[in-house]
Amino acid sequence: MSDETPKKKSTGLSRREVLAGGTALSAALFLPKSLKAADFPTAEINTTGLAVTDDTVTIGILHSVTGTMAISETGSVQAEKLAIDQINAQGGILGRKIEYIQEDGASDWPTFAEKARKLLVNDKVASVMGCWTSASRKAVLPVFEQHNGFLYYPTFYEGLEESPNVIYTGQEATQQIIAGLDWVNQTKGAKSFYLLGSDYIWPRTSNKIARKHIENFMEGCKVVGEEYYPLGHTQFNSVINKIRLRKPDVIYAIVVGGSNVAFYKQLIAAGIDPSAEKPIVLTISVTEDEIRGIGGENIEGAYACMKYFQSLENENNLKFVEEFKKMWGDDIAIGDVTQAAYLGPWLWKAAVEKAGSFDVDKVREASPGIELTTAPEGYVKIHENHHLWSKTRVGRAQADGQYEVVFETAELVEPDPFPEGYQ
Amino acid sequence: MTRSSFMTRKELIGFLILAAVIFLLLPAMLDSFRLNLFGKYLTYAFVAVGLALCWGAGGILSLGQGVFFGLGGYCMAMFLKLEASTPENTAIQSTPGIPDFMDWNQLTELPVWWQPFYSLPLALLAVLAVPVVFAFIIGFAMFTRRVGGVYFAIITQAFAAILTILIIGQQGYTGGVNGITDLRTLLGWDIRTDEAKTTLYFVNGVLLFAVLLIAQYVRKSKLGRLLIAMRDQEDRVRFSGYNVANFKIFIFCLGAAFAGIGGAMFTLQVGFMSPTLVGIVPSIEMVIFCAVGGRLSILGAVYGALLVNWAKTSFSEAFPELWLLGLGGLFIAVVMFFPNGLAGVWSEQIEPRLTKLSKRSDTATPKRAAERAPAE
């Protein structure tokens, strides 16, 4: 695995981290596959009164299964349940089977806070897999910090956060943006960019980082327009006219949710066919899940910058896709976030086993340096800032709703939630 | 029963029962987590009481009460956010000392209109004044032009939509979709602990009773009777020489003030405020609380808010994927079988039987016809 070890950067990784990572790796190699519960008396591995018995441990799943976000979050719930099933089939964690309590955040931020409190205070769950939108994460964050819960958050997001009570299994903004912009500049010769997005913190912060990178780090490149539309907006004709007028090389689109359908259909109607690449359409907000809504024929040829695509052809992913389909039916699409959600229970398992305890403080301490070699996206590793080292990949949308991977970074990209020079 | 009496014996008993439920029964039965949830539900009861006055008594159906709830809540949240955003707490930002979301949106100084919210008295004043001023403007514009009924309801709904879009769009100033989060202390008092939440629950209860007494006073006053007259025959009241618009504006503003208090208490209890509480959906939900409880009864409105929210929580815990259907069924059942809500069930079904029972034991009690207001 030495070739996969994260590249050392002058600003980032310290020698100590590399060593710590190495120790974790060797520890992981020598751990037996299934641990016996009897070797770990409940009183010793659970000193803070969590819901751990002699043969079970209870965790929470907190996503929206009703409301506008349900369509996005369902995949995450499915992935988490799959991971839990698989872990249980291997004998569980420290000999204990995982049981879960599922709560519905109902696409409503106060409800998320209420349910988070319920899971932590009432149910004493050992960890929570959950949340999707930034708003829901912001709503539950004080609850997790106050009650010392532990959350695995799957979505790619804007960064600017580093909570001791959260492991961010998705990419923060720089991991998703910078490599993609460099790629489109170097291989396609793109020089001018039109930024647009839905109007909330993730697209705005992402575009801010994109703009800084384009203007300060990419020679001769410029931003020719930047615009935002309310969530749910469906009239993109005016911006499409401006795009035709200013003729950018790249449309950098961070439109989310249902607006995507209108946006891509209107692009084609206006004669901007993504597959013609004039201009190139590059997005960071359309996964395989969204394409199901947009329709493959409407977005064919557009590029998306993610860390995972369902079409990845490594052994881990082939197995993951197969088991996912076995559990949830052939008629599913697995997007970037779904894969990140799948990592949550596995990363938690690894951290608990490394710590030899379910105590949140010990799991937190054990988390940095935890590695997964079985992740569908390939090898990942938890950074000291609680985000994952992962690769950035660019995929080209196909008519069948899948992405063809056209580029991936050679090395893992370091997570940098507070990027200097991009604020 | 004299017409001028503030509260009949029957109503007094109703108030006492509610007081017993809120101050004795619930705290005795529930652990602190569940009690805190009921504290949250009680904040919606403020809105429901205001609606019982506006809609039940005055016939003014507002589908935009979330606006006032939200404005009150945001005023409180702004104060708490400024208190939480000390330069020490926000040292990691490019501009320490301003709320985190402003920093994320490249604001480098606090906007002028945020300044008053450094002061608690001004913030508390704003909790009442901002919703009332807003309600006055809407009410003045609508009622003096004799806009009423369905048209008024639609316009208030539009206001709810507009305010949500405004808050989301101006995220540098308002926190956008995320809202104002991570509120910690009130004048140094940590509002996140269980003890604080329990204390806030009781503060909530006391304030709710203050609001209920004001509502009761309004209903029993000449104003209250005029409102009912206006609801049933607006033109006759107008022809009798009353300025109908002024009464409507007043009651609408009063409902807004109640909602504002509820919003402020919500922020304190839950620890954040977000535009999801301002929009159309929560506004309609608040009308549902009132309808389930019985729009003609201010006490019914409180029970409605508690019951619907409790059902919402328990259904969604028991059936995370199906609970909305159950809740929908509940609303349909209430509207179909009990058009006057819980209060109607009480006054039409239970009370006459109780009276019959007590008559059997005490023949001296005079029979009292159940008070019934005509449906709209």
Side-chain angles (χ1 to χ4, degrees):
Chain A
M1 288 265 90
S2 60
D3 57 322
E4 298 259 31
T5 311
K7 191 174 76 175
K8 188 175 170 182
K9 279 194 190 172
S10 53
T11 50
L13 198 67
S14 71
R15 179 176 298 269
R16 207 179 38 169
E17 279 177 87
V18 175
L19 288 175
T23 331
L25 180 63
S26 47
L29 283 176
F30 290 112
L31 273 177
K33 200 149 198 206
S34 161
L35 301 163
K36 288 207 180 65
D39 301 336
F40 299 94
T42 308
E44 281 174 28
I45 58 165
N46 174 29
T47 61
T48 55
L50 297 171
V52 181
T53 68
D54 287 344
D55 38 35
T56 64
V57 52
T58 307
I59 66 171
I61 292 181
L62 176 57
H63 285 286
S64 303
V65 290
T66 60
T68 54
M69 292 311 300
I71 189 158
S72 304
E73 299 194 40
T74 304
S76 302
V77 176
Q78 292 173 334
E80 284 153 8
K81 288 183 178 172
L82 173 65
I84 290 169
D85 264 19
Q86 291 175 337
I87 292 171
N88 283 343
Q90 288 184 10
I93 300 183
L94 300 184
R96 283 154 179 85
K97 294 260 190 257
I98 305 177
E99 295 186 338
Y100 59 81
I101 296 176
Q102 188 184 352
E103 290 291 348
D104 178 17
S107 313
D108 179 53
W109 324 143
T111 306
F112 266 98
E114 174 190 319
K115 301 298 186 193
R117 195 180 297 276
K118 186 229 169 209
L119 287 171
L120 295 180
V121 178
N122 241 31
D123 303 329
K124 309 267 181 220
V125 297
S127 70
V128 176
M129 311 292 146
C131 295
W132 218 88
T133 59
S134 283
S136 65
R137 189 190 68 254
K138 287 285 180 203
V140 304
L141 198 61
V143 178
F144 275 87
E145 292 184 349
Q146 185 198 349
H147 296 286
N148 199 21
F150 212 55
L151 172 70
Y152 287 81
Y153 174 69
T155 322
F156 42 76
Y157 83 114
E158 67 277 0
L160 302 169
E161 194 179 292
E162 190 182 322
S163 167
N165 295 79
V166 183
I167 297 287
Y168 306 83
T169 64
Q171 316 85 305
E172 51 76 31
T174 62
Q175 286 178 296
Q176 208 184 356
I177 294 166
I178 291 171
L181 288 175
D182 287 341
W183 170 80
V184 78
N185 173 240
Q186 282 154 18
T187 59
K188 302 277 177 187
K191 297 277 181 203
S192 57
F193 295 79
Y194 202 107
L195 312 179
L196 67 104
S198 295
D199 197 358
Y200 70 102
I201 184 137
W202 176 59
R204 277 190 181 263
T205 311
S206 298
N207 272 341
K208 181 178 78 181
I209 288 171
R211 178 184 274 273
K212 297 264 180 188
H213 189 70
I214 292 164
E215 289 175 348
N216 300 344
F217 297 93
M218 289 162 63
E219 225 181 297
C221 294
K222 60 177 193 268
V223 174
V224 296
E226 181 172 350
E227 271 176 72
Y228 297 94
Y229 292 90
L231 285 162
H233 191 78
T234 52
Q235 288 301 323
F236 291 95
N237 294 325
S238 69
V239 69
I240 290 172
N241 285 338
K242 281 189 212 162
I243 287 170
R244 288 165 64 173
L245 206 67
R246 296 190 196 162
K247 298 192 171 56
D249 297 334
V250 175
I251 302 174
Y252 197 69
I254 318 184
V255 179
V256 306
S259 296
N260 270 316
V261 181
F263 177 65
Y264 289 100
K265 284 190 175 164
Q266 288 166 21
L267 265 187
I268 291 206
I272 301 179
D273 183 357
S275 54
E277 300 198 2
K278 272 180 188 167
I280 296 165
V281 179
L282 181 62
T283 174
I284 60 169
S285 60
V286 178
T287 72
E288 289 86 341
D289 278 321
E290 276 80 18
I291 295 189
R292 281 159 63 99
I294 298 167
E297 68 282 4
N298 293 318
I299 195 174
E300 185 182 1
Y303 292 93
C305 199
M306 300 279 160
K307 68 171 178 174
Y308 171 85
F309 294 105
Q310 189 180 334
S311 59
L312 285 185
E313 280 182 357
N314 65 60
E315 219 171 280
N316 294 343
N317 186 46
L318 294 176
K319 196 166 145 245
F320 168 65
V321 172
E322 187 196 326
E323 303 210 347
F324 200 102
K325 287 189 167 172
K326 206 161 80 193
M327 187 160 177
W328 300 109
D330 281 332
D331 185 33
I332 46 104
I334 304 172
D336 182 277
V337 186
T338 304
Q339 191 268 158
Y342 175 76
L343 301 181
W346 287 104
L347 290 169
W348 181 62
K349 173 182 191 278
V352 168
E353 285 175 353
K354 181 176 160 197
S357 168
F358 288 105
D359 291 356
V360 169
D361 289 334
K362 291 180 187 153
V363 172
R364 168 178 27 248
E365 209 175 299
S367 281
I370 289 287
E371 304 168 302
L372 273 189
T373 51
T374 53
E377 65 171 280
Y379 167 91
V380 294
K381 179 178 156 175
I382 302 180
H383 192 279
E384 271 190 2
N385 62 26
H386 280 200
H387 294 69
L388 295 186
W389 291 86
S390 33
K391 291 190 172 183
T392 306
R393 297 182 167 92
V394 178
R396 189 165 200 230
Q398 315 277 303
D400 65 358
Q402 291 295 322
Y403 280 99
E404 179 198 349
V405 182
V406 295
F407 168 75
E408 69 174 41
T409 50
E411 310 284 344
L412 296 177
V413 180
E414 181 178 14
D416 187 9
F418 295 94
E420 269 179 48
Y422 289 94
Q423 300 278 17
Chain B
M1 167 175 133
T2 56
R3 278 179 59 187
S4 60
S5 77
F6 171 63
M7 208 181 270
T8 61
R9 209 185 74 174
K10 204 172 73 183
E11 286 165 335
L12 182 67
I13 293 173
F15 267 77
L16 290 177
I17 293 176
L18 181 64
V21 168
I22 291 179
F23 293 111
L24 300 173
L25 191 65
L26 291 177
M29 272 170 49
L30 303 171
D31 58 35
S32 74
F33 164 70
R34 295 283 165 194
L35 191 66
N36 172 231
L37 281 186
F38 270 88
K40 186 172 97 174
Y41 308 159
L42 279 181
T43 64
Y44 296 127
F46 288 87
V47 189
V49 171
L51 269 170
L53 281 186
C54 289
W55 182 32
I60 306 165
L61 174 56
S62 162
L63 294 179
Q65 291 303 95
V67 168
F68 309 121
F69 186 81
L71 286 173
Y74 266 98
C75 288
M76 188 45 115
M78 286 161 75
F79 170 77
L80 296 173
K81 188 69 195 172
L82 286 180
E83 186 173 317
S85 308
T86 57
E88 300 84 66
N89 285 345
T90 53
I92 195 167
Q93 295 174 182
S94 345
T95 316
I98 64 172
D100 47 12
F101 59 83
M102 292 187 182
D103 190 62
W104 300 333
N105 287 284
Q106 294 98 52
L107 264 64
T108 47
E109 59 180 329
L110 199 69
V112 180
W113 57 275
W114 269 73
Q115 298 288 354
F117 292 93
Y118 271 117
S119 142
L120 182 60
L122 282 180
L124 291 180
L125 183 69
V127 163
L128 287 172
V130 173
V132 167
V133 168
F134 211 76
F136 181 81
I137 295 170
I138 299 176
F140 187 80
M142 298 296 123
F143 297 133
T144 54
R145 286 179 177 74
R146 300 192 187 177
V147 175
V150 177
Y151 304 103
F152 182 78
I154 291 171
I155 288 168
T156 50
Q157 196 166 48
F159 274 106
I162 292 168
L163 191 67
T164 315
I165 292 171
L166 191 71
I167 290 174
I168 292 176
Q170 300 302 313
Q171 54 184 324
Y173 303 98
T174 61
V177 174
N178 289 4
I180 300 179
T181 61
D182 203 10
L183 308 173
R184 297 168 190 184
T185 55
L186 175 70
L187 295 179
W189 178 52
D190 193 337
I191 56 172
R192 294 167 299 175
T193 62
D194 285 347
E195 297 77 49
K197 304 248 181 228
T198 310
T199 313
L200 282 170
Y201 172 85
F202 286 105
V203 172
N204 227 338
V206 170
L207 281 174
L208 183 64
F209 268 89
V211 162
L212 280 170
L213 289 175
I214 294 172
Q216 175 73 7
Y217 175 76
V218 168
R219 279 168 61 98
K220 290 288 163 165
S221 65
K222 193 176 167 193
L223 168 66
R225 291 197 299 281
L226 270 171
L227 282 174
I228 293 177
M230 275 159 33
R231 179 191 69 194
D232 296 339
Q233 285 295 335
E234 188 174 324
D235 284 338
R236 283 197 198 172
V237 179
R238 190 175 284 127
F239 297 150
S240 306
Y242 290 104
N243 187 340
V244 171
N246 284 353
F247 292 110
K248 284 189 168 180
I249 293 171
F250 173 78
I251 201 72
F252 189 54
C253 288
L254 189 66
F258 289 174
I261 299 172
M265 289 310 295
F266 178 91
T267 303
L268 283 169
Q269 292 253 334
V270 178
F272 74 98
M273 192 68 209
S274 91
T276 55
L277 292 151
V278 178
I280 292 174
V281 174
S283 297
I284 291 177
E285 269 186 327
M286 288 163 188
V287 172
I288 291 175
F289 304 155
C290 185
V292 168
R295 66 196 163 96
L296 302 173
S297 156
I298 50 175
L299 295 183
V302 176
Y303 287 114
L306 294 183
L307 186 85
V308 173
N309 280 293
W310 173 78
K312 208 171 148 179
T313 301
S314 4
F315 284 1
S316 67
E317 278 172 16
F319 313 102
E321 312 201 356
L322 294 172
W323 65 279
L324 274 177
L325 295 175
L327 210 57
L330 178 75
F331 296 147
I332 294 172
V334 164
V335 173
M336 281 183 71
F337 302 113
F338 314 113
N340 285 332
L342 291 176
V345 175
W346 172 260
S347 64
E348 286 156 29
Q349 309 283 335
I350 303 173
E351 209 176 37
R353 281 173 208 176
L354 286 180
T355 345
K356 223 182 266 173
L357 275 180
S358 65
K359 226 170 73 179
R360 216 169 283 163
S361 59
D362 178 14
T363 44
T365 314
K367 193 186 172 199
R368 215 182 273 138
E371 232 179 284
R372 279 193 63 183
E376 205 177 322

